């Protein structure tokens, strides 16, 4: 079973929408992704404001910055 992840982004972010499109086929196969809006709390805006979208593994805290494709996500999850 793949690890649970968080996708840091914000509403209206075109790159975040592209990242979601990359992740959807993986979600359809069991990947659990929580969407985290960085606009609140403020510390997330400071940490991720210039980096979004960012995929983060909950188990290890490892992060994968955009741009990424499905193959890169699969390798990241191994």
């Amino acid at each position: 079973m793949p690890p649970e992840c968080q996708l840091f982004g914000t509403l209206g972010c075109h790159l975040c929408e592209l990242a979601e499109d990359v992740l959807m086929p993986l979600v359809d196969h069991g990947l659990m992704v929580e969407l985290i809006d960085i606009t609140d709390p403020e510390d997330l805006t400071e940490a991720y404001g210039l980096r979004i979208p960012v995929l983060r593994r909950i188990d290890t805290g490892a992060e994968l910055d955009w741009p990424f494709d499905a193959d890169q996500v699969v390798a990241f999850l191994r």
Side-chain angles (χ1 to χ4, degrees):
M1 176 167 226
E4 293 182 26
C5 294
Q6 297 170 314
L7 181 63
F8 292 95
T10 192
L11 191 60
C13 167
H14 176 69
L15 296 178
C16 299
E17 292 170 3
L18 292 175
E20 288 180 40
D21 289 344
V22 168
L23 295 172
M24 283 311 298
L26 300 172
V27 168
D28 290 342
H29 286 93
L31 177 63
M32 295 182 63
V33 178
E34 177 185 10
L35 302 177
I36 304 291
D37 189 335
I38 66 159
T39 59
D40 190 43
E42 190 174 306
D43 61 329
L44 290 180
T45 303
E46 290 178 26
Y48 294 101
L50 298 176
R51 295 176 49 204
I52 60 171
V54 176
L55 185 64
R56 180 180 181 271
R57 288 179 59 145
I58 292 176
D59 62 346
T60 65
E63 295 179 342
L64 180 64
D65 288 0
W66 184 259
F68 50 76
D69 60 26
D71 291 336
Q72 291 169 312
V73 172
V74 168
F76 173 71
L77 297 175
R78 286 193 185 129

